[in-house]
Amino acid sequence: MKTGMGLLLLMTLLAAGCRRREEKSAEAPAALPPGHEEMVSRRPSVIQVPEGIRGKWDGARFRVVEIASGKSHDFTASLGKESPVPGTSLVIRPEVLLPHFTMGDGVITSRDGDLANPAAKVSILEGGKPLFTGWLFSLYPEAHPFEHPVYQMRLLAFVPAKGAH
C-alpha cells in the first residue's frame, strides 16, 4: 500500500512539473527589436561592415547613469580606442559601429548608412578585467543591455569622421 501511495505521489509531482515547463515554454518570448531575433539562438555571427560605412564614423557618444542616484555623464569614445568612463572605474572600447544594424543568415551588418537602427559593439572593462562585450542599441537600450550593479550604459549617437558627410 505504501508503495502504491508513493508511486501516486511521484506521478502527481511529475505531472505538475511537466505542466509548469509547458506553461513556461508557451509564454511569448520578450519582444526584440527588428533584426535581432537571431541573437537569441546564440549562433556565431560574422560582422561585416559595408565599404560605404567604413571610415564614416570616428566614435560614439554614450551616457553612463549611476543607478542609485540617477546622476549621468555623457561622453565620447573613439572607435577602436579605450576611453575612461567619467565618474566610474569603467573603460569602454567601441569596436564596431553600424548605423542600420541588421542580422540574418549568420551575418551582422548595416543595411545602409542611414541612422535607422544605430548599434555599437563595445567592450567594457573594470580594473582591467572584461565585464561586457556586446551590442548597445540607441533606439532599444533594453535589448541586450550592459548589466552592472552600479551603472547603466546607453548609446546616444555616432560621431561623424572629419570630412565625412
Side-chain angles (χ1 to χ4, degrees):
M1 268 241 119
K2 286 184 181 180
T3 305
M5 290 183 73
L7 186 57
L8 180 61
L9 179 61
L10 179 62
M11 290 176 61
T12 303
L13 290 172
L14 286 173
C18 288
R19 224 176 295 120
R20 279 193 204 118
R21 259 187 247 118
E22 287 172 9
E23 288 169 9
K24 283 184 180 178
S25 65
E27 291 175 11
L32 292 174
H36 297 119
E37 296 80 10
E38 190 174 312
M39 286 185 147
V40 173
S41 72
R42 300 289 181 213
R43 284 190 329 172
S45 295
V46 175
I47 300 170
Q48 293 179 349
V49 180
E51 197 63 42
I53 304 299
R54 283 189 209 136
K56 191 171 181 179
W57 312 104
D58 275 346
R61 299 242 345 119
F62 296 91
R63 174 172 293 148
V64 61
V65 179
E66 186 178 346
I67 296 168
S69 69
K71 290 182 183 177
S72 66
H73 298 282
D74 294 356
F75 65 98
T76 301
S78 297
L79 184 61
K81 297 181 181 171
E82 290 186 357
S83 299
V85 177
T88 76
S89 58
L90 303 174
V91 171
I92 191 167
R93 181 178 195 261
E95 298 171 359
V96 178
L97 303 175
L98 297 176
H100 194 163
F101 179 96
T102 188
M103 68 185 306
D105 297 326
V107 176
I108 295 174
T109 190
S110 187
R111 181 168 290 140
D112 51 43
D114 296 336
L115 291 166
N117 186 19
K121 183 174 187 244
V122 300
S123 290
I124 300 175
L125 304 105
E126 186 170 40
K129 296 179 184 175
L131 290 181
F132 176 83
T133 297
W135 293 92
L136 298 178
F137 301 91
S138 66
L139 301 179
Y140 303 98
E142 67 285 346
H144 318 288
F146 166 64
E147 294 180 2
H148 189 276
V150 179
Y151 303 107
Q152 293 177 336
M153 190 75 62
R154 303 281 188 245
L155 171 63
L156 298 177
F158 288 175
V159 176
K162 291 173 177 59
H165 300 268

